[in-house]
Amino acid sequence: MANYKKKRIKKIKRNFSWIGVVLFCIFFAIAGVITVALADVFLSMFIKNKADGGFAFAKYMAGVYESAVDKEDVYETLDKADRAYVIKDKKGNVIHEHGKITAANKGEEVRDKLMMTGTLGTVSINGLVSEDADGNIDRAYYVIDEDGQITATSVDTNSTEEMTSDSGDKTYLYSDTEAQYITTYGGEVSIDLLLFYHDYVSKPFNEVFTDRDSIVSLPYWIGYDVDGGDNLFIVQSFVNIELSDITYILIAIGLIILIAGLLFFTMVISTIVNAVNNRRAVNLLFTDMVTKGRNWLWFVYRGTPFLAKGSTAKNNYAVVNLVFVKYRNYCMCHSLEQGEIVLKRVHDRLKRLVNKKEMVVHVSNSNFALLLKYNDKEELNARLNSIINDLSSVDTAHSFKFQAGVDLVGVYKNEKGRVVKRKDIDIEREYNNACEARTTLKGSDDSGIAYFDQKMIDDQKWIDTVTERQGYAISNEEFKVYYQPKYDPVTDTLKGAEALIRWINDDMGFVPPGKFIPIFEKNGFITSIDHYMLEHVAKDQKEWLDQGKNLVPVSVNFSRAHFAESDLAEQIRDSVDKIGTPHKYIEIELTESAFFDDKKALISTITRLREYGFAVSMDDFGSGYSSLNSLKDMPLDVLKLDAEFFRGENAGERGEIVVAEAIKLAKSLNMRTVAEGVEIKEQVDFLAAQGCDMIQGYYYAKPMVKEDYEGAMEAE
Ligand code: C2E
Ligand code: CA
Ligand code: CA
C-alpha cells in the first residue's frame, strides 16, 4: 500500500485513540494544580491562624509580666502558665527562666496587631492587642456567650461610661470590681489585658487560654521588649494541631480526594467511552456497508504486512479478483437492493470457503478480493473452479457466473536459494495485476479463470508508449507506405497493389502494423492513420501518373471505425480530388468486421464510393464470422480471400473446395477475386485454374518500399 495511505489510516486511528487520553491528562494536570493550590492556601491559613494564637498567648504573658513586675509572686504566676520562658537583659544575662529554653536566638520583636482568642468559663474572649510606636499596648476585646451573643466589650481605663455594642440594641458593662474601665479604641472595643491578670491571677493560664488536646505541637519562640525596653521577655509558643484540626484536615483532604476522585472517575469513563467509540469508528473504517464484512481498505491494510511476514514467507499465495458477471444486469432486472443481498450471500458463502488465515472482502460493485494459500497451481485452479461452482448456486432461482483474475505470489528466494521475506510486496499492486488478468475474460459472459503474467504489464506499457507517441509520429511522417503488388496468376502481370503501413523511427526501429493498428483501432487514432495513408497513396499515384508510369489500382485499408461518419465517401473523394488522382487508381478495402455495423449506412457509403468511381473490396473474406449474408446486400467490386484459406490444415482438399466455390460465388455476383497470403506455386496454379483474378502473396512479392514498387511497375 502506498505510504501516504498508510499514514492516513494511522492518523485516523491515532486521532481516535489519543484525543481522550490527552484530554484526560490535561484535565488531570489542571485538577492537580488546583488541588495543590487549594491545599497550600488552606494549610498556610491554618498554620497562620495557629501561630496567631501563639503570638497572642506570648504577648499576653509579657503583658502580665509587665503589669505585675513589681509584685513578688510575678514569676510564680507566670510559671503557672506552664510555658517555657526567659527574661534577659540587654546583655543577654538571664534574669529569670522557666522550663527548657531551646530558643537559639533572642527572638523577634513583634509589634503588629495580634488577635488573641481564648475561652473563659463558658464565654469566649476575642481580643486585639496592638502596640503603638511609643510602646504603649492597646487592647481591645469582646466577649461572646454560649449563644453567640456579645456579652461584653472592652473598657476604657479612663472612663466609667457604659458601652454599647455595635449592634446598638444591647448595653453591657464589664461588671467585675476592678474592671470599670471601658473605652472604645479606634472603632474597635478594647480591654486592658491587666484585667485578666487581676481577675484570674489565681487561675491557671490554661484556663484563660484553654489548650484543647493537641496532637502535634510545633514550638517556636517570640520575644517582647519589657521593662521599658531594658529587658527581653522570650516565650515559647506552639502551633498546636488539635484533634478537631485533624478532623477538619481530614474533612478537607476527604473533600479534595472526593473532588479529584470524581474528576478522575469522569475522565476514566470518558476515556473508556472514547476508546469504545474509537474502536467502533476504526471498525467502521474497515467494514463494508454491503456485506457487513471487511472492506477493501482492510484487505490492503492487513494484506501487505501479512504477506511480508516471515511466518508466511514459505507459503504460496494467490491474490484473486473475483467478479460477479453481469451483476449490473441482475440489478436492472431485479433491484439494486436485491443485487446487494446477493452480494452479501456471495460474501458469506466465500467466508465459509476460505480458512482463517486467508482473506475475503467485497471491494466494490461486483468485485471481491481474495487472498488464498496454495501449494501448486493445479490445486489452486481446482479450488477456484470449485469456489466458482459453489457460488453459482448462491441463489436457488438463478445460476450466476463468476470470473476470477489471479495473481500468484510465490515464495521469494535469495541467490543461495533460501526463502526470504517478501519485503517489497504490495497487495494492492498484486490485486491490480489480478484485475488486469481478469480483463482478458471480459469479452465473455461465462465463468472463467485467468492468470496474470508479466506479458500483460509489457503489453500495457507498449499500449501507453504507442498512444503517447502517435501524435508526434504522424506529424513527423514516421508512418511509411509499403506496397504489396497483386498479380494475375495466369499472365503473371501486375494488376494492382495494397498499401500497407509501417512505423519506422529511431527509437523503436521497424514496427509492423499488427503491433499498433489494433491499438489505434481501440483509441480511435485509426481514422487519422487511414486518411494519412489515403493521401500518401493518392500522392504517389499522382506522381507516378505524371511520370507516365504503368499505373495499377492501389487499395487502401479503411477500418470499421470510420463507418460512423456518414460522409466518409465524400471525405475520401475530396481528399483524393485535392491531389488530383483519378478515382479509378484508388480502391477501398473494408474489413469483414466492418460489415457488422449499421448495414444501411454501410451500403450507402459503398454505393456512393462506387458512384464516385472508387472500387470497393471486402477484405479478409472467410476469416472469423461468415460474411455470406453481407455479400448478398453489399454492392462490392472485389472479394479478397483471407490468407487463412491457404495456411495449414485449411489448405487441404476441403479448403480447395471452399475456395473454388467462393470464387464461383464472387464471379456470379460480378465481383473480382484476390487471394491473399499465397506463398507456394501449387496454390497459384490451383487459383489460376479456378479463375481467381489476382494473387497478393509472398509467392509474388512481399510488401515493399515505394522505390521497390516503382521497380515492379517498371518491370511490366
Ligand atoms: P491485411 O489488410 O489483411 O493485409 C495483408 C497482410 O497480409 C499484410 O500484413 C501482408 O504483409 C500480409 N501478407 C501478404 N501476403 C502474405 C504472405 O504470403 N504470407 C504472409 N505470411 N503474410 C502475407 P501486414 O502488412 O503485417 O498488415 C497486417 C494488417 O494490418 C493488415 O492486414 C491490415 O488489417 C492492417 N493494416 C496494415 N496497414 C493498414 C492501414 O494502412 N490501415 C489499416 N486500417 N489497417 C492496416
Ligand atoms: Ca487489407
Ligand atoms: Ca487481408
Side-chain angles (χ1 to χ4, degrees), residues 179-316:
Q180 299 98 347
Y181 312 107
I182 300 169
T183 187
T184 50
Y185 180 80
E188 291 179 86
V189 283
S190 68
I191 185 170
D192 193 320
L193 286 166
L194 279 177
L195 292 173
F196 288 105
Y197 170 69
H198 288 304
D199 286 347
Y200 303 105
V201 77
S202 56
K203 293 184 181 177
F205 272 72
N206 57 8
E207 275 187 31
V208 180
F209 284 87
T210 313
D211 271 350
R212 276 154 289 182
D213 297 337
S214 56
I215 289 175
V216 181
S217 282
L218 307 168
Y220 64 100
W221 295 80
I222 315 162
Y224 295 99
D225 279 336
V226 287
D227 301 327
D230 290 342
N231 298 322
L232 191 64
F233 189 93
I234 305 166
V235 191
Q236 186 183 38
S237 259
F238 294 94
V239 171
N240 288 319
I241 314 282
E242 290 143 16
L243 195 63
S244 60
D245 296 330
I246 295 289
T247 313
Y248 288 133
I249 289 170
L250 285 179
I251 290 173
I253 290 174
L255 272 174
I256 289 169
I257 289 175
L258 190 75
I259 293 168
L262 270 175
L263 253 173
F264 185 79
F265 185 69
T266 317
M267 289 317 296
V268 166
I269 293 288
S270 98
T271 307
I272 291 171
V273 169
N274 213 324
V276 170
N277 283 343
N278 167 25
R279 263 202 96 74
R280 270 198 209 134
V282 169
N283 222 13
L284 207 65
L285 192 73
F286 290 129
T287 301
D288 177 62
M289 293 298 139
V290 176
T291 62
K292 309 279 183 296
R294 293 301 192 190
N295 63 7
W296 166 244
L297 201 60
W298 185 80
F299 187 77
V300 172
Y301 189 67
R302 298 294 288 274
T304 299
F306 176 79
L307 288 175
K309 271 200 301 194
S311 58
T312 62
K314 58 186 186 313
N315 303 326
N316 291 316

Side-chain angles (χ1 to χ4, degrees), residues 393 516 653:
S393 59
F516 58 88
E653 204 184 315

